[in-house]
């Protein structure tokens, strides 16, 4: 199955792979750096193994190292398609310090950055804060007008999720060919407060074939929904749509 989440990591320190025997002697910070390199090389499982070592209670490391490892574990889980585990890792990091700022997530994946901020909104506001930050200010202010709610995998915090309007087909007919097969595609996108799909947000999570990407995006782009609503107002909502792909 074709997975359309490109692995693009910013601020990567390029180095060769780390042997298991050497990893045990590395600091938590070194292990996180090595894990990031594994993501660059497309070795997600190796990277997650290094992050497990970094988070091990027997590995020396600072609180900052632990938060960094948790955030990167969330990034790895996201690219493996384990969205719930990604959110769990982000929540673990933000529980340590909800003021945590992570720069560069939007450059990795715009939806990944939105997921991180959505998780931040679920963290209780601390009673006191020694050093207020923009992140804490956003948290204390509550949800803004452009807050992104999520219905992936389930809807949370909504009075009413977006509903597809009649006339929109969940079946995509494509020309048959040696590189095109029938099957199920999964597409993710944001529905805005007017019920339209935000074109820049559309991403193909999985597809029966890489050649179908543009066809799937074109199919979803004009879709119209009744807007999602929370506390009586229309809100932006992250959606995931399963489409049946059929050959003509």
């Amino acid at each position: 199955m074709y997975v359309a989440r490109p692995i693009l990591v910013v601020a990567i320190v390029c180095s060769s792979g780390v042997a298991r025997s050497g990893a045990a002697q590395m600091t938590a910070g070194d292990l996180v750096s090595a894990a990031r390199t594994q993501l660059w090389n497309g070795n997600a499982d190796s990277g997650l193994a290094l992050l497990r070592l970094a988070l091990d209670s027997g590995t020396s490391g600072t609180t900052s190292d632990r938060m960094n490892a948790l955030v990167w574990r969330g990034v790895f889980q996201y690219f493996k398609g384990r969205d719930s585990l990604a959110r769990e890792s982000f929540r673990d990091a933000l529980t340590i310090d909800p003021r945590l700022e992570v720069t560069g997530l939007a450059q990795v994946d715009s939806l990944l950055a939105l997921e991180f901020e959505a998780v931040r909104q679920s963290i209780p506001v601390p009673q006191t804060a020694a050093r207020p930050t923009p992140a804490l200010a956003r948290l204390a202010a509550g949800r803004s007008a452009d807050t992104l709610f999520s219905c992936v995998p389930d809807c949370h915090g909504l009075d009413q999720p977006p509903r597809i309007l009649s006339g929109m087909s969940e079946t995509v007919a494509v020309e048959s060919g040696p590189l095109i097969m029938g099957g199920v595609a999964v597409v993710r996108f944001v529905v805005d407060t007017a019920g339209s799909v935000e074109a820049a947000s559309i991403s193909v999570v999985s597809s029966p074939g890489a050649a179908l990407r543009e066809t799937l995006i074109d199919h979803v782009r004009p879709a119209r929904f009744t807007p999602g609503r929370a506390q009586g107002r229309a809100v932006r909502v992250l959606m995931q749509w399963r489409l049946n792909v059929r050959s003509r």
Side-chain angles (χ1 to χ4, degrees), residues 155-168:
C155 297
H156 296 285
L158 292 170
D159 302 329
Q160 173 185 305
R163 302 292 186 192
I164 187 68
L165 295 175
S166 60
M168 293 304 303

Side-chain angles (χ1 to χ4, degrees), residues 132-152:
T133 68
L136 191 60
R138 291 197 301 273
L139 188 61
R143 292 187 170 96
S144 63
D146 64 347
T147 294
L148 181 69
F149 289 76
S150 178
C151 279
V152 181

Side-chain angles (χ1 to χ4, degrees), residues 10 26 29 59 64 68 90-91 123 140 146 148 186 189 197-198 202 209 219:
V10 294
M26 298 170 68
T59 304
S64 178
N68 197 21
F90 292 156
R91 186 173 293 106
I123 304 298
D146 64 347
L148 181 69
V186 178
F189 51 88
V197 173
E198 296 182 5
I202 304 172
H219 183 82

Side-chain angles (χ1 to χ4, degrees), residues 44-226:
D45 290 333
S46 297
L48 283 169
L50 289 167
L51 291 173
R52 281 194 292 271
L53 285 174
L55 292 167
D56 187 277
S57 59
T59 304
S60 61
T62 64
T63 299
S64 178
D65 288 333
R66 183 169 183 80
M67 289 191 293
N68 197 21
L70 288 168
V71 170
W72 276 101
R73 187 178 69 180
V75 172
F76 272 84
Q77 298 289 16
Y78 175 83
F79 281 114
K80 286 183 70 68
R82 302 168 180 170
D83 292 355
S84 60
L85 291 178
R87 287 190 291 271
E88 181 180 320
S89 286
F90 292 156
R91 186 173 293 106
D92 288 343
L94 287 163
T95 298
I96 296 173
D97 187 353
R99 299 164 296 189
L100 177 63
E101 292 280 4
V102 180
T103 59
L105 276 183
Q107 297 175 50
V108 177
D109 188 299
S110 59
L111 291 180
L112 182 62
L114 292 172
E115 287 275 15
F116 186 83
E117 287 301 322
V119 172
R120 189 197 301 280
Q121 292 293 334
S122 70
I123 304 298
V125 181
Q127 294 298 315
T128 59
R131 50 179 184 86
T133 68
L136 191 60
R138 291 197 301 273
L139 188 61
R143 292 187 170 96
S144 63
D146 64 347
T147 294
L148 181 69
F149 289 76
S150 178
C151 279
V152 181
D154 301 308
C155 297
H156 296 285
L158 292 170
D159 302 329
Q160 173 185 305
R163 302 292 186 192
I164 187 68
L165 295 175
S166 60
M168 293 304 303
S169 174
E170 294 187 22
T171 298
V172 183
V174 297
E175 296 294 338
S176 60
L179 300 179
I180 303 296
M181 300 181 294
V184 175
V186 178
V187 183
R188 191 171 292 184
F189 51 88
V190 174
V191 176
D192 67 18
T193 56
S196 298
V197 173
E198 296 182 5
S201 73
I202 304 172
S203 65
V204 179
V205 178
S206 63
S207 165
L212 291 174
R213 181 178 180 276
E214 292 303 322
T215 299
L216 293 168
I217 290 175
D218 289 342
H219 183 82
V220 169
R221 187 182 291 113
R224 292 300 303 271
F225 295 76
T226 58

